[in-house]
Amino acid sequence: MPRIACGVVIVAGLLSLGSLLPGSNPLSVSPFVVTLVGKYLAYAMLAVAVDLVWGFAGILTLGHAAFFALGGYAMGMYLTREIGTRGVYGNPDLPDFMVFLSWKSLPWYWWGSNHILMAIVLVFLVPGILAGLFGWLAFRSRVSGVYLSIITQALTYAFMLAFFQNGLGFGGNNGLTDFKDILGFDLHSQTTRATMLVFSALLLAGTMIGARWLVSGRFGRLLIAVRDAESRTRFLGYRPEQVKLLVWVVSAMIAALGGALYVIQVGIINPGEFAPANSIESVIWVAVGGRGTICGAVIGAVFVNFGKTLLTAWLPEAWLYGLGLLFILTTLFLPNGLMGLEHRVMRRCAEVTPEVTRPEGDAEA
């Protein structure tokens, strides 16, 4: 785990340094690549969140994109307020879309969004509260299996429909965009992009290490017990619904952090991020990388999204078929994902050990 986490930071650091070189330098990295890798790291954060609840607690979630998008909107509110008088209408208090829709004042849930600390609080607090309420109702009622998966999918679909409405105060179908800076630093400058890439890598590495610490101790063993034998765990005196609720809320906050990093680097957030298809894709990332491994979730997210980037450029109409085929092949031939394949190869290499023989003519003393 530390090696992969360090690898993520080192690669991000090298790409960031390359982006600061002149374009004529052969080692120069384009801003497009920096943004693309930053997006991969944000998606990897979402994959870690899904792996926590699916790989270790056995909760197949099809709605984690909702928490990812909520974190993105919380950060997007701050970035929108940072535009200030540089907007199309030059209004220092209202975003352009509110001026266009004849809003007279900010809604109460936008209060304080012009402060970065408040934005960070909202990134974690809003998804955490919503996840806590949903989880308390669902786990207390002992909803599980496919029924819980369907409910989570309905949840993110409901959010998508709500955020498409102009009256909600989040930009409608256009969402929030045209961001200028963060903490006074120009978001479009190469230095800021490079810094954000390294910062995202550090946060991802810290999240991976923190998640591994969470599942390596007693709580992790309890998670696996709930996943594999919930009724027996309850019989031993534990409360499986409380265990599920805790990991569910932590997972939602991790997904929200990924959404906040996504918005800063991509520069837009709209209701399309709530789409159920995004949640399903995140499950595929975890399945391809290796469920219940943390590292596999990161590898799967980067691998699948890199393939998506290539296929959408070469064969855009075939991308969804390729994604479906990848999931089917993984399920049939790599049930433990790429991490399982690595373990299988290492095990076979360990089994094939050459027999050491005594050289000819070497007599025992």
Side-chain angles (χ1 to χ4, degrees), residues 15 19 29-39 193-194 197 265:
L15 290 174
S19 69
V29 178
S30 70
F32 172 76
V33 173
V34 172
T35 301
L36 194 64
V37 174
K39 184 171 71 171
R193 289 177 179 271
L197 179 61
Q265 295 173 100

Side-chain angles (χ1 to χ4, degrees), residues 115-128:
H115 301 288
I116 185 63
L117 292 179
M118 185 62 179
I120 294 173
V121 170
L122 289 176
V123 165
F124 293 104
L125 185 64
V126 174

Side-chain angles (χ1 to χ4, degrees), residues 268-322:
I268 186 173
I269 181 70
N270 59 48
E273 297 301 329
F274 286 102
N278 292 347
S279 295
I280 296 173
E281 277 192 37
S282 66
V283 171
I284 295 177
W285 303 340
V286 175
V288 170
R291 175 185 169 193
T293 60
I294 303 297
C295 291
V298 174
I299 293 172
V302 174
F303 175 78
V304 175
N305 279 286
F306 179 69
K308 180 179 181 178
T309 301
L310 295 180
L311 282 179
T312 50
W314 298 339
L315 299 169
E317 66 281 355
W319 157 243
L320 290 178
Y321 297 104

Side-chain angles (χ1 to χ4, degrees), residues 16 19-20 34 190-201 265:
S16 298
S19 69
L20 300 177
V34 172
Q190 292 182 344
T191 304
T192 304
R193 289 177 179 271
T195 302
M196 285 309 307
L197 179 61
V198 174
F199 184 63
S200 299
Q265 295 173 100

